């Protein structure tokens, strides 16, 4: 009798004998097929000179990256340039999230804060962050500050919006539960608003991170002596497509790694989300 | 309207009235509940049952009338009220055990006492096995049991339940109703249980108040003087069920 009411959701894995059809429909197998097809097509396009000399072969890109690890460009090895871009992102992203997330939470929790900040925010929100590049250079010069500034501008919006919405979308019944049990406003905020907003905050951080990469890249393309955007521009000026594509590939890899780190942090901070994510 | 002569009166509701603008939903409802009584309130869908519980529990202000607990005006900050809502309300970020513990935490129950009570209640509602799981890992019926366990755990002066088992299938509902009666017998809480299911009301409660269609008034009161454990096919129970059904249909 107890069983009918005690039902736990579990993921059951079926074991079936290995068949050819199973291998052919296996997820990992298909991943491999799609990757292989992509690189083959790329290589063929490069050999056939579809873009005349503008497309390097994949192995040339790898070779180029390998060389850049040891031969410095503008005084920095490849790792040095990766770190240059990453550092800008870390600084800008950290500053923006440390200000925007608490501000977003406060806007959602206090209507006076909301009334003061919201109009300013709505005014500035539609402006694309890259529109700030020129003015940032006029204000801060072409050094680090203007790049970090652009990143802050770009990442501020998603950090703030998602923190704000995370609190606004809390199920109102949860507040009733607390009030019913005699809890006060402090309980509501700490026990419900914050944990409920965490997943939304992390979603905002993920979006912010990808925007940060666009921003840093744009800023580096405009003016820089270091960073992955610099490598791309240099490759273009030197007519070395392998360098351009190499820069693009590295950006993708580093950006992916950072977003994985944020996901990892989210799983650590929001353990209750694990079950949902692992589908 | 006094079904508890032998008992001390615990809850007194006087002329409870609620309007939403021009819409009169509750019309001067008055009744008493005895200490440790299990009272059911039945009424047709949309007659204002949820509104009734919400005003009773002070979640929404009443237009007129008042509620007294032990002779004092009810106040969620002072009295221990518990509410099991129509929908399960668990905090997704707390494990099952932490969810059940929540009410006691808010009320600053000492740690040792809390753990003891938790073990007892979790055992009684069969949640011990999944104490460490998160709400998204368990089924809907278990979520509602968390809410029931959480509500009983604070030793409430008054426990309000708003069709907690409305969405569950029949078999599961019988099982949880038995469980609810067991909890109530052990913990001796005063319960007001709202439902539109007449059979459920007759099966679990000691007394039934029947609400009329909107605006809700108390139309009749039926005592259910049957020994426990009860059986749904007991002719006396069937008799009372018919009586209540007649009363509800007769307007
Ligand atoms: N906040 C509100 N403002 C205006 N009208 C309301 C409000 N809440 C409820 N009502 C009205 O009060 C009436 C009773 O609603 P209530 O939810 O209390 O009924 P109920 O008996 O709980 O229904 P159900 O059986 O579906 O749970 C309905 O006609 C509803 O439209
Ligand atoms: Mg209702």
């Amino acid at each position: 009798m107890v069983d009918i009411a005690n039902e736990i959701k579990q993921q059951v894995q079926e074991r079936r004998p290995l068949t050819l059809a199973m291998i052919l429909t296996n997820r990992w197998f298909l991943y491999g097929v799609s990757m292989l097809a992509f690189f083959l097509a790329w290589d063929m396009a490069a050999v056939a000179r579809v873009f005349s000399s503008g497309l390097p072969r994949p192995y040339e890109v790898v070779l180029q990256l390998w060389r850049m690890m040891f031969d410095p460009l503008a005084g920095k090895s490849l790792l040095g340039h990766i770190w240059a871009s990453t550092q800008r992102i870390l600084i800008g992203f950290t500053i923006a999230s440390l200000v925007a997330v608490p501000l977003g939470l406060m806007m959602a929790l206090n209507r006076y804060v909301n009334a003061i900040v919201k109009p300013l925010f709505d005014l500035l929100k539609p402006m694309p962050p890259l529109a700030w590049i020129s003015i940032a250079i006029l204000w801060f010069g072409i050094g680090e500050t203007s790049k970090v500034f652009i990143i802050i501008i770009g990442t501020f919006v998603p950090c703030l919006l998602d923190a704000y919405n995370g609190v606004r979308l809390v199920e109102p019944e949860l507040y009733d539960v607390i009030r019913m049990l005699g809890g006060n406003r402090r309980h509501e905020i700490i026990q419900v608003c914050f944990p409920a907003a965490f997943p939304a905050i992390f979603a905002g951080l993920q979006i912010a991170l990808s925007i940060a990469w666009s921003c840093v890249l744009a800023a580096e393309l405009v003016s820089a002596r270091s960073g992955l955007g610099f490598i791309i521009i240099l490759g273009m000026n030197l007519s070395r497509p392998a360098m351009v594509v190499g820069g693009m590939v590295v950006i993708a890899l580093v950006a992916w790694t950072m977003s994985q780190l944020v996901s990892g942090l989210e799983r650590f901070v929001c353990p209750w989300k694990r079950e949902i994510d692992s589908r | 309207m006094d079904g508890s002569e032998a008992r001390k009166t615990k809850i007194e509701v006087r002329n409870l009235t609620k309007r939403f603008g021009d819409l009169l939903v509750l019309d001067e409802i008055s009744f008493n509940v005895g200490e440790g009584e299990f009272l059911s309130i039945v009424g047709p869908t949309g007659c204002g049952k949820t509104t009734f519980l919400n005003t009773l529990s002070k979640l929404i202000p009443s237009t007129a009338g008042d509620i007294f607990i032990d002779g004092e005006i009810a106040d969620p900050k002072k009295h221990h009220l518990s509410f099991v809502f129509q929908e399960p309300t668990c905090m997704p970020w707390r494990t099952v055990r932490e969810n059940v513990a929540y009410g006691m935490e808010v009320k600053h129950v000492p740690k040792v006492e809390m753990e003891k009570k938790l073990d007892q209640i979790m055992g009684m509602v069969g949640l011990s096995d999944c104490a460490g799981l998160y709400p998204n890992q368990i089924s809907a019926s278990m979520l509602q049991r968390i809410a029931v366990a959480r509500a009983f755990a604070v030793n409430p002066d008054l426990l309000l339940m708003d069709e907690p088992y409305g969405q569950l299938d029949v078999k599961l509902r019988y099982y949880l109703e038995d469980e609810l009666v067991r909890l109530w017998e052990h913990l001796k809480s005063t319960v007001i249980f709202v439902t539109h299911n007449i059979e459920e009301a007759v099966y679990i409660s000691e007394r039934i108040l029947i609400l009329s269609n909107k605006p809700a008034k108390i139309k009749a009161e039926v005592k259910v003087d049957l020994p426990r454990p009860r059986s749904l096919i007991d002719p006396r129970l069937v008799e009372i069920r018919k009586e209540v059904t007649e009363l509800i249909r007769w307007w």
Side-chain angles (χ1 to χ4, degrees):
Chain A
M1 192 61 180
V2 175
D3 293 339
I4 62 157
N6 273 335
E7 179 204 327
I8 297 170
K9 288 181 195 159
Q10 274 178 336
Q11 277 170 342
V12 181
Q13 229 169 16
E14 279 185 43
R15 282 175 196 279
R16 279 174 296 169
L18 210 63
T19 61
L20 186 63
M22 255 192 73
I23 295 177
L24 288 180
T25 55
N26 179 281
R27 201 153 51 110
W28 296 105
F29 176 76
L30 292 175
Y31 283 175
V33 169
S34 118
M35 279 301 177
L36 199 67
F38 170 74
F39 282 107
L40 271 179
W42 171 3
D43 198 46
M44 271 152 66
V47 171
R49 302 180 72 79
V50 174
F51 302 100
S52 69
S53 63
L55 183 66
R57 298 181 62 177
Y59 90 90
E60 289 171 336
V61 172
V62 176
L63 214 63
Q64 174 69 37
L65 290 175
W66 183 254
R67 253 187 252 127
M68 284 192 291
M69 294 283 270
F70 306 104
D71 303 339
L73 286 173
K76 279 195 169 72
S77 72
L78 180 59
L79 288 181
H81 286 290
I82 291 176
W83 176 240
S85 293
T86 309
Q87 197 184 20
R88 290 168 187 146
I89 286 187
L90 287 181
I91 296 173
F93 180 67
T94 308
I95 294 176
S97 53
L98 284 184
V99 177
V101 170
L103 190 60
L105 293 175
M106 262 149 62
M107 279 169 70
L109 293 173
N110 183 307
R111 64 199 151 98
Y112 300 111
V113 176
N114 194 23
I116 292 169
V117 180
K118 192 117 195 309
L120 289 176
F121 185 71
D122 284 339
L123 191 72
L124 296 176
K125 188 173 63 176
M127 201 176 304
L130 302 188
W132 289 82
I133 288 190
S134 304
I135 198 80
I137 292 175
L138 287 181
W139 287 351
F140 305 111
I142 54 168
E144 293 301 301
T145 316
S146 58
K147 297 181 183 64
V148 170
F149 177 76
I150 296 299
I151 295 171
I152 293 177
I153 294 281
T155 50
F156 202 84
V157 174
C159 286
L160 185 141
L161 269 187
D162 281 46
Y164 177 74
N165 287 330
V167 175
R168 298 292 303 267
L169 297 179
V170 173
E171 287 181 48
E173 294 84 20
L174 290 180
Y175 295 128
D176 288 346
V177 171
I178 291 187
R179 280 162 59 198
M180 212 49 253
L181 290 166
N184 51 30
R185 181 81 179 137
R186 197 175 55 88
H187 288 115
E188 288 180 15
I189 293 173
I190 296 177
Q191 314 269 11
V192 172
C193 290
F194 287 169
F198 277 153
I201 290 174
F202 274 100
L205 293 183
Q206 288 284 11
I207 296 170
L209 202 55
S210 77
I211 293 180
W213 274 101
S214 308
C215 291
V216 80
L217 204 61
E220 287 171 353
L221 290 176
V222 171
S223 72
R225 295 296 297 157
S226 62
L228 294 165
F230 167 72
I231 289 184
I232 290 177
I233 277 288
L234 191 68
M236 189 179 84
N237 292 339
L238 299 175
S239 292
R240 291 189 20 208
M243 205 179 214
V244 177
V245 176
M248 291 164 60
V249 170
V250 173
I251 288 172
L253 284 177
V254 180
W256 179 80
T257 309
M258 281 175 83
S259 114
Q260 289 300 306
L261 288 178
V262 174
S263 298
L265 185 65
E266 175 175 13
R267 278 198 292 279
F268 179 72
V269 177
C270 314
W272 67 92
K273 292 275 290 176
R274 252 176 233 163
E275 273 304 296
I276 300 171
D277 285 345
S278 68
R279 257 178 304 177
Chain B
M1 291 273 166
D2 192 350
S4 46
E5 298 87 356
R7 280 176 171 143
K8 186 170 153 275
T9 300
K10 178 84 180 172
I11 314 290
E12 231 185 305
V13 179
R14 286 287 154 264
N15 303 324
L16 191 65
T17 304
K18 178 71 192 174
R19 289 172 189 278
F20 292 109
D22 285 340
L23 180 72
L24 180 63
V25 180
L26 304 179
D27 189 9
E28 306 227 325
I29 296 186
S30 299
F31 63 94
N32 290 349
V33 191
E35 173 127 47
E37 185 175 8
F38 198 123
L39 176 73
S40 279
I41 296 185
V42 295
T45 299
C47 75
K49 299 185 295 294
T50 299
T51 307
F52 173 68
L53 285 188
N54 284 344
T55 34
L56 201 59
S57 62
K58 305 274 175 150
L59 275 177
I60 58 178
S62 60
T63 309
D66 243 313
I67 303 105
F68 299 88
I69 299 181
D70 293 326
E72 284 180 279
I73 290 190
D75 174 4
K77 292 252 185 311
K78 193 160 56 190
H79 296 111
H80 293 210
L81 301 179
S82 274
F83 205 133
V84 179
F85 295 90
Q86 217 160 346
E87 309 288 330
T89 46
C90 293
M91 302 189 192
W93 46 87
R94 285 174 166 251
T95 62
V96 171
R97 192 179 170 92
E98 288 165 351
N99 261 295
V100 175
Y102 185 69
M104 291 190 278
E105 267 175 43
V106 172
K107 301 206 179 285
H108 303 293
V109 175
K111 191 91 186 142
V112 186
E113 193 183 320
M114 182 162 104
E115 294 297 324
K116 217 175 96 200
K117 188 99 190 183
L118 269 178
D119 289 334
Q120 183 200 2
I121 293 224
M122 304 265 299
M124 283 173 81
V125 296
L127 285 173
S128 305
D129 290 342
C130 56
L133 296 179
Y134 286 102
N136 65 2
Q137 294 169 296
I138 60 179
S139 65
S141 69
M142 291 177 79
L143 292 180
Q144 202 50 292
R145 292 154 108 184
I146 293 177
V148 171
R150 179 179 63 198
F152 270 105
V154 295
N155 280 334
D157 292 314
L158 175 60
L159 173 53
L160 303 162
M161 307 183 81
D162 188 3
E163 299 189 49
Y165 306 136
Q167 285 99 325
L168 304 179
D169 67 62
V170 181
K171 193 169 157 198
L172 204 52
R173 226 182 49 220
Y174 289 151
Y175 178 74
L176 293 182
E177 283 162 13
D178 282 339
E179 188 175 277
L180 174 62
V181 169
R182 260 200 323 275
L183 274 172
W184 166 73
E185 284 175 330
H186 268 82
L187 303 171
K188 305 182 171 53
S189 307
T190 308
V191 181
I192 298 184
F193 186 97
V194 159
T195 178
H196 62 246
N197 185 319
I198 297 162
E199 188 175 62
E200 181 174 48
V202 179
Y203 183 61
I204 59 178
S205 52
E206 297 179 284
R207 187 157 63 104
I208 301 174
L209 296 182
I210 295 154
L211 293 185
S212 66
N213 222 336
K214 211 166 50 182
K217 269 196 243 247
I218 295 181
K219 207 171 142 196
E221 176 189 310
V222 175
K223 277 196 202 172
V224 189
D225 247 342
L226 301 177
R228 294 175 200 270
R230 294 177 182 170
S231 157
L232 286 167
I233 45 173
D234 180 342
R236 286 173 298 172
L237 194 142
V238 174
E239 190 55 42
I240 297 176
R241 202 188 72 206
K242 283 196 183 127
E243 184 190 338
V244 175
T245 311
E246 280 306 305
L247 282 166
I248 282 205
R249 278 199 292 138
W250 245 71
W251 37 62

